[in-house]
């Protein structure tokens, strides 16, 4: 039966499911002749068939592949022989019909031609024997025919020879008997090729043999006898191994692999495996992630760590950040990547001249949105980090499959990693074809969730209530109500230690992060305050009065006198030296302080020159270098007010605020029930009045060539930004476009995410208006590109561990 006929035979409930599960069916509403032929055309494109195939589970995928091996019709007797559970074929056919991929019939399961064409290497058996025999010469086919059927007449034409040889591979018992009779070297080579996946390079097939057989195999291969008794010649004479494509490739025919397995698939499982569950006990809190991000961002702001030529944060820099912030190296790498995706960090070129032809060096720098993020409540700040992580996963089917599966676990429970990997392996076989790699990927995602403060640790994977709310789109107010209770009281001791018996509140935590260094995080958080940490807080704008007021508000037993005297002393000394721009000048409140600086041996390299009783100047240094040198020598300088004001905009780099305010990744909504009912009525022939499309509000997803064209044309006329899902080969990608011209087929637009400037309307899957306007960037559109050898910022920062290629 044809594909339209199979679709026409569906019941209305199943047809509803097809329209809901296959978003490409929405194009039916704009089709000039809506009907089952048009629906079949929409559902049968190779890309859309593949998109549907990757969403079915392993049981359904195995049924489809078994049907493909049978030429498109899988009957109940064959399914029973292949080990399909009783009733499984009928239940699987009903479910596949709701995907529009296969359909039940009186004989069994019918797989339409478009789906058959999209299934490559069904069952993983390898290439069929007929296709392999096509690449052999007539003399080789004659030898195979005489060896397999001795004494019979041998045809002379190649097509007849192929039929003659292929007929020998229709009997599984005969194939197994032939393989059982293989001599030792030939049997070992068959096993080696099977372990390699059915097709392997010739020399790899030999290298896998035992040392005592390898030399014999080479000798047998180069034997001059036409009827070799062992090794590769023996196998090729019986078509058990056939040259595939090139002479150096050997392939095992699919019929031989099927006969040796006896069944195409060794295991059939209709439902997902259930992993062992345990109570979810998180090792961290989301507030710890915010606190660690705060201290890492502060370090980056002050030190601008260098990036490697590969664009990664090197091991040495990670260790420096970890030692300075008391954050583990693994968490440092994660937080840097997270800060980049959230728009808090960028890679800036290192200033200064460079040699001709030398690659440009980059360093890590904070952006202007850092001030906004630090000022936000902890729940909102953490939620922005989660949204940035989710946006970084856009287009990663594996990560989305993991999150979707985590949401199916019972609330408050975590799954052991091995069992969870088996569940993923069954649920999404296209995304997770290898069980070992799936377990490794699940472990990496579990580590990421643990770093975010919503996971279950190292041996299990799960999402707590806060994590479920965050990935489900809850707002900051809901998340704040789910966060664990915090401690608003600390103990300040005379040995310069400050102890917090739990997670500090937002005000206390950020204040302590600014004025003290974290020494211990478990079981209690212990900070140590010193002159260097107090100077750092005062550089950030804290006054000694503010620091004392903060400690007095939260110290349950009061602030020791020694701590108060140290804070007041640092406050008196801080800022008595001011560094600013002339060449670079140094100004002090007292003449004796300038004299002390000039007499300090560690500062002789600055070559300071006194021009007034309380002013000195120097050349060849920047204010930041002078500030750092003075601080290392034990002074507490500050930047001059005018210099600080002039350098404020250069300290934090500009970034598109839309990246910070983007929120969670946008998911195109499915078809509304009313639209589905209208399409079903259209297909069944009921009269339906189609209203012409009107103005499309921002955020509404548009599909279909007519509506897409109208949306793009209005965006060109109004200079409005749009978001599109665009096909690049077989991959769908989401981009923000600023369209400037549209001729009905081609869109000329600028995108900050792609060097492409011309986009085909036929490759746009859907589009929506973002509600933002733009100024046309003609320079970039007409050819303005990055200078040779200078990688764009987005490509020189690391990705999360589970996104590494």
């Amino acid at each position: 039966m044809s594909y339209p006929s199979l679709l026409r035979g569906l019941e209305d409930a199943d047809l509803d499911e097809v329209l809901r599960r296959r978003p490409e069916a929405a194009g039916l509403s704009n089709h000039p002749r809506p009907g089952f032929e048009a629906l079949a055309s929409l559902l049968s494109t190779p890309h859309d068939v593949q998109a549907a195939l990757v969403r079915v589970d392993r049981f359904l995928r195995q049924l489809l592949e078994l049907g493909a091996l049978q030429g498109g019709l899988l009957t109940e007797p064959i399914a029973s022989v292949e080990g399909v559970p009783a009733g499984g074929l009928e239940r699987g056919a009903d479910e596949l019909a709701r995907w529009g991929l296969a359909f039940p019939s009186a004989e069994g399961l019918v797989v339409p031609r478009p789906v058959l064409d999209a299934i490559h290497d069904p069952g993983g058996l390898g290439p069929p024997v007929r296709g392999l025999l096509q690449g052999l010469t007539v003399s080789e086919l004659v030898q195979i025919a005489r060896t397999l059927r001795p004494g019979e007449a041998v045809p002379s034409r190649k097509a007849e020879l192929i039929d003659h040889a292929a007929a020998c591979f229709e009997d599984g018992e005969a194939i197994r008997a032939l393989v059982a009779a293989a001599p030792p070297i030939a049997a070992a080579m068959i096993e080696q090729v099977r372990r390699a996946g059915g097709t392997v390079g010739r020399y790899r097939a030999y290298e896998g043999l035992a040392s005592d057989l390898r030399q014999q195999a080479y000798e047998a291969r180069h034997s001059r006898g036409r009827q070799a008794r062992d090794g590769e010649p023996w196998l090729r004479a019986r078509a058990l191994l056939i040259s595939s494509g090139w002479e150096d490739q050997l392939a095992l025919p699919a019929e031989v692999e099927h006969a040796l397995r006896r069944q195409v698939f060794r295991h059939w499982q209709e439902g997902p495996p259930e992993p062992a569950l345990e109570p979810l006990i998180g090792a961290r809190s989301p507030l710890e992630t915010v606190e660690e991000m705060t201290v890492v961002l502060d370090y980056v702001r002050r030190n601008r760590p260098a990036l490697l030529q590969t664009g990664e944060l090197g091991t040495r820099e990670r260790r420096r950040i970890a030692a300075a912030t008391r954050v583990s190296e693994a968490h440092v790498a994660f937080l840097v990547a997270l800060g980049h995706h959230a728009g808090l960090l960028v890679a800036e070129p290192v200033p200064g001249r460079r040699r001709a032809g030398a690659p440009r060096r980059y360093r890590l720098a904070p952006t202007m949105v850092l001030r906004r993020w630090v000022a936000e409540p902890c729940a909102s700040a953490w939620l922005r980090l989660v949204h940035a992580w989710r946006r970084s996963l856009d287009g990663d089917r594996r990560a989305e499959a993991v999150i979707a599966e985590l949401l199916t676990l019972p609330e408050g429970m975590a799954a052991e990693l091995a069992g969870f990997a088996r569940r993923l392996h069954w649920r999404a076989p296209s995304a997770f074809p290898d069980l070992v790699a799936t377990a490794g990927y699940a472990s990496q995602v579990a580590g990421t969730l643990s770093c975010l403060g919503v996971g279950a640790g190292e041996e299990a994977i799960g999402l707590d209530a806060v994590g479920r709310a965050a990935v489900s789109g809850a707002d900051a107010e809901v998340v704040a109500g789910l966060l664990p209770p915090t401690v608003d009281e600390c103990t300040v001791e005379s040995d310069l230690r400050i102890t917090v018996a739990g997670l500090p509140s937002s005000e206390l935590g950020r204040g302590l992060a600014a004025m003290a260094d974290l020494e211990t995080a478990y079981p209690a958080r212990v900070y140590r305050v010193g002159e260097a940490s107090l100077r750092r807080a005062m550089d950030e704008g804290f006054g000694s009065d503010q620091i004392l007021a903060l400690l007095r508000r939260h110290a349950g037993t009061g602030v020791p006198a020694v701590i108060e005297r140290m804070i007041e002393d640092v406050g008196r000394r801080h800022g008595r030296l001011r560094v600013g721009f002339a060449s670079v000048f140094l100004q002090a409140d007292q003449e004796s302080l300038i004299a002390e600086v000039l007499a300090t041996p560690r500062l002789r390299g600055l070559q300071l020159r006194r021009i007034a009783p309380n002013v000195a100047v120097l050349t060849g240094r920047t204010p930041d270098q002078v500030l750092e040198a003075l601080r290392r020598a034990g002074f507490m300088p500050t930047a001059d007010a005018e210099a600080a004001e002039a350098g404020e905009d250069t300290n934090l780099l500009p970034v598109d605020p839309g990246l910070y305010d983007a929120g969670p990744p946008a998911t195109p909504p499915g078809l509304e029930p009313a639209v589905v009912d209208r399409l079903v009525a259209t297909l069944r022939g009921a009269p339906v009045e189609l209203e012409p499309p009107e103005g499309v509000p921002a955020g509404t997803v548009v599909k279909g060539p007519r509506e897409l064209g109208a949306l793009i044309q209005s965006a060109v006329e109004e200079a409005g930004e749009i978001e599109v899902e665009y096909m690049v080969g077989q991959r769908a990608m989401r981009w923000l476009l600023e369209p400037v011209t549209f001729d009905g087929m081609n869109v000329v637009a600028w995108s900050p995410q792609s060097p492409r400037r011309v986009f085909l309307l036929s490759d746009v899957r859907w589009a929506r208006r973002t509600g933002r306007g733009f100024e046309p960037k003609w320079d970039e559109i007409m050819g303005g590109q990055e200078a040779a050898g200078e990688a764009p910022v987005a490509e020189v920062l690391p990705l999360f561990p589970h996104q590494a290629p």
Side-chain angles (χ1 to χ4, degrees):
M1 296 178 66
S2 65
Y3 197 12
S5 300
L6 294 169
L7 290 169
R8 187 177 288 107
L10 292 176
E11 297 182 359
D12 285 354
D14 293 338
L15 188 58
D16 286 355
E17 284 298 316
V18 172
L19 297 176
R20 288 191 179 93
R21 297 181 182 184
R22 304 288 295 273
E24 60 271 21
L28 193 65
S29 58
N30 296 320
H31 202 279
R33 294 184 178 179
F36 285 99
E37 289 75 12
L39 178 61
S41 176
L42 292 170
L43 300 183
S44 61
T45 61
H47 172 268
D48 291 322
V49 173
Q50 286 291 348
L53 286 174
V54 300
R55 297 173 62 189
V56 300
D57 58 48
R58 182 166 297 278
F59 179 75
L60 299 179
R61 180 72 187 222
Q62 289 180 178
L63 285 179
L64 285 171
E65 294 188 17
L66 196 57
L69 288 171
Q70 301 300 320
L73 177 61
L74 178 59
T75 62
E76 185 65 48
I78 294 177
S80 179
V81 171
E82 288 291 339
V84 178
L89 180 61
E90 181 180 356
R91 292 188 293 271
D94 292 338
E95 181 61 22
L96 286 169
R98 300 183 186 103
W99 285 100
L101 295 173
F103 303 87
S105 69
E107 295 83 4
L109 175 71
V110 177
V111 185
R113 174 52 54 185
V115 180
L116 291 178
D117 295 339
I119 298 177
H120 306 292
D121 191 17
L125 298 177
V129 69
R130 285 186 177 273
L132 295 172
L133 292 175
Q134 291 286 350
L136 301 183
T137 64
V138 172
S139 60
E140 290 174 324
L141 291 171
V142 168
Q143 181 184 0
I144 291 173
R146 289 175 176 172
T147 304
L148 291 176
R149 293 187 174 183
E152 294 187 12
V154 177
S156 57
R157 299 178 61 183
K158 185 173 182 177
E160 296 174 350
L161 283 168
I162 292 175
D163 293 338
H164 186 80
C168 301
F169 290 85
E170 296 176 356
D171 187 356
E173 290 294 338
I175 294 174
R176 286 190 287 271
L178 182 62
V179 173
I185 301 176
M189 290 189 70
I190 288 177
E191 290 303 316
Q192 177 65 14
V193 174
R194 291 187 68 195
R195 284 195 297 270
T199 301
V200 66
R202 173 179 283 110
Y203 292 102
R204 184 180 172 188
Y206 283 101
E207 289 174 0
L209 300 177
S211 56
D212 57 335
L213 295 179
R214 192 179 307 140
Q215 185 61 36
Q216 300 178 38
Y218 279 118
E219 293 175 356
R221 178 190 172 194
H222 297 289
S223 173
R224 293 187 177 182
R226 296 186 63 185
Q227 296 291 337
R229 296 182 178 180
D230 204 348
E232 181 185 340
W234 188 92
L235 294 168
R236 295 182 63 172
R238 290 157 181 80
L240 294 177
L241 283 184
I242 303 176
S243 296
S244 172
W246 296 274
E247 187 65 21
D248 288 337
Q249 292 285 326
L250 296 176
L252 186 75
E255 290 80 359
V256 177
E257 177 65 25
H258 190 187
L260 295 178
R261 290 189 194 176
R262 295 182 182 270
Q263 292 180 350
V264 177
F265 300 105
R266 296 182 178 90
H267 305 287
W268 290 87
Q269 185 171 1
E270 286 194 66
E274 296 296 336
L277 300 177
E278 60 186 48
L280 192 153
I281 303 176
R284 287 166 51 84
S285 165
L287 301 181
E288 293 183 71
T289 302
V290 175
E291 184 177 353
E292 289 182 348
M293 179 64 83
T294 302
V295 297
V296 169
L297 289 173
D298 180 67
Y299 179 91
V300 171
R301 185 190 61 78
R302 290 183 285 107
N303 296 276
R304 306 290 175 98
L307 297 170
L308 301 176
Q309 290 294 330
T310 58
E312 300 174 339
L313 192 65
T315 303
R316 181 179 301 176
E317 290 292 350
R318 287 202 305 269
R319 289 176 179 172
R320 286 176 179 171
I321 298 175
T325 61
R326 304 301 177 95
V327 178
S328 68
E329 287 188 45
H331 283 196
V332 166
F334 172 80
L335 292 171
V336 167
L338 189 60
H340 166 57
H341 287 293
L344 300 172
L345 294 173
V346 294
E348 68 164 352
V350 176
R353 302 179 62 180
R354 54 178 176 146
R355 294 179 302 169
R360 181 175 289 280
R361 294 179 298 133
Y362 287 87
R363 63 183 185 181
L364 210 55
T367 68
M368 288 183 176
V369 298
L370 171 61
R371 298 185 187 278
R372 290 177 54 193
W373 185 82
V374 171
E376 289 193 32
C378 280
S380 178
W382 177 78
L383 199 57
R384 288 191 184 277
L385 300 180
V386 175
H387 291 167
W389 172 63
R390 291 294 309 279
R391 290 195 304 273
S392 73
L393 305 179
D394 194 18
D396 188 344
R397 292 189 293 109
R398 297 183 303 168
E400 294 298 338
V402 171
I403 293 174
E405 201 60 38
L406 286 173
L407 293 175
T408 66
L409 296 178
E411 190 167 351
M413 303 298 288
E416 54 95 13
L417 278 172
F420 187 78
R422 288 191 295 271
R423 188 180 181 92
L424 285 174
H425 184 56
W426 182 91
R427 182 77 73 183
S430 297
F432 300 102
D434 182 75
L435 184 57
V436 176
T438 303
Y441 185 84
S443 176
Q444 290 175 342
V445 176
T448 298
L449 295 175
S450 178
C451 288
L452 286 171
V454 294
E458 298 180 355
E459 301 299 329
I461 184 170
L463 269 178
D464 61 14
V466 182
R468 287 172 179 267
V471 301
S472 299
D475 57 20
E477 185 177 352
V478 174
V479 171
L482 296 173
L483 288 175
T486 56
V487 177
D488 200 38
E489 186 175 293
C490 64
T491 302
V492 184
E493 303 176 21
S494 57
D495 61 355
L496 309 184
R497 290 187 302 170
I498 302 175
T499 305
V500 182
L503 282 172
S505 63
S506 176
E507 181 190 25
L508 178 60
R510 294 195 174 187
L512 292 178
M515 74 176 70
D517 298 318
L518 179 66
E519 287 192 338
T520 305
Y522 184 85
R525 303 182 79 79
V526 179
Y527 299 82
R528 181 170 293 275
V529 66
E531 289 190 355
S533 63
L534 290 173
R535 188 264 306 161
R536 185 178 68 230
M538 293 178 185
D539 287 343
E540 290 296 314
F542 285 88
S544 57
D545 294 340
Q546 291 177 284
I547 295 175
L548 282 172
L550 176 71
L551 291 179
R552 287 166 180 165
R553 277 199 308 272
H554 297 281
T557 57
V559 181
V562 63
I563 301 289
E564 291 188 354
R565 286 195 297 272
M566 182 178 65
I567 295 173
E568 292 171 351
D569 179 62
V570 172
R572 282 192 301 269
R573 289 190 290 141
H574 183 267
R576 293 172 63 193
L577 282 174
R578 291 177 295 282
V579 177
F581 294 98
S583 295
V584 173
F585 71 79
L586 186 65
Q587 182 182 8
D589 293 340
Q590 299 174 355
E591 298 179 18
S592 60
L593 192 53
I594 287 291
E596 183 182 354
V597 171
L598 294 173
T600 302
R602 296 185 62 180
L603 299 177
R604 288 175 182 171
L606 294 180
Q607 297 181 353
L608 288 162
R609 181 166 53 91
R610 194 169 191 169
I611 62 173
N614 62 337
V615 178
V617 296
L618 69 158
T619 59
R621 302 298 177 102
T622 66
D624 287 340
Q625 291 173 330
V626 178
L627 285 167
E628 185 63 26
L630 289 169
R631 287 164 181 166
R632 285 199 301 266
F635 296 93
M636 292 188 178
T638 185
D640 184 77
E642 295 182 1
E645 184 178 354
E648 183 176 359
D649 292 338
T650 59
N651 189 35
L652 299 177
L653 299 183
V655 71
D656 180 11
L659 177 64
Y660 181 70
D661 296 325
T667 302
L671 294 178
E672 297 292 337
V675 178
V676 172
D677 294 340
R678 189 185 71 184
L679 292 178
V680 172
T682 301
L683 292 170
R684 297 303 184 190
V688 177
E689 296 182 3
L690 298 177
E691 298 181 359
E694 299 178 355
V696 180
T700 301
V701 174
V702 169
K703 301 178 181 179
R706 186 175 65 185
E707 294 184 353
L708 285 172
L711 178 69
I712 293 172
Q713 185 61 43
S714 66
V716 171
E717 295 172 355
E718 301 170 6
E721 184 186 64
I722 61 175
E723 181 185 12
V724 302
E725 184 176 89
Y726 193 78
M727 297 305 305
V728 180
Q730 296 295 318
R731 184 182 178 189
M733 304 180 69
R734 294 183 189 174
W735 287 335
L736 294 175
L737 300 185
E738 297 177 3
V740 292
T741 64
F742 176 55
D743 61 3
M745 297 178 61
N746 302 310
V747 185
V748 177
W750 182 81
S751 172
Q753 301 154 289
S754 170
R756 184 189 298 269
R757 294 296 176 259
V758 180
F759 301 80
L760 300 178
L761 178 64
S762 58
D763 288 339
V764 177
R765 296 285 303 281
W766 56 263
R768 69 179 182 89
R769 301 180 64 174
T770 63
R772 295 189 293 264
F774 66 90
E775 290 290 334
K777 299 177 176 61
W778 287 109
D779 291 338
E780 290 85 348
I781 292 174
M782 299 307 294
Q785 299 292 334
E786 291 274 348
E790 297 181 15
V793 169
E795 295 180 3
V796 297
L797 288 177
L799 297 173
F800 295 114
H802 59 267
Q803 293 175 278

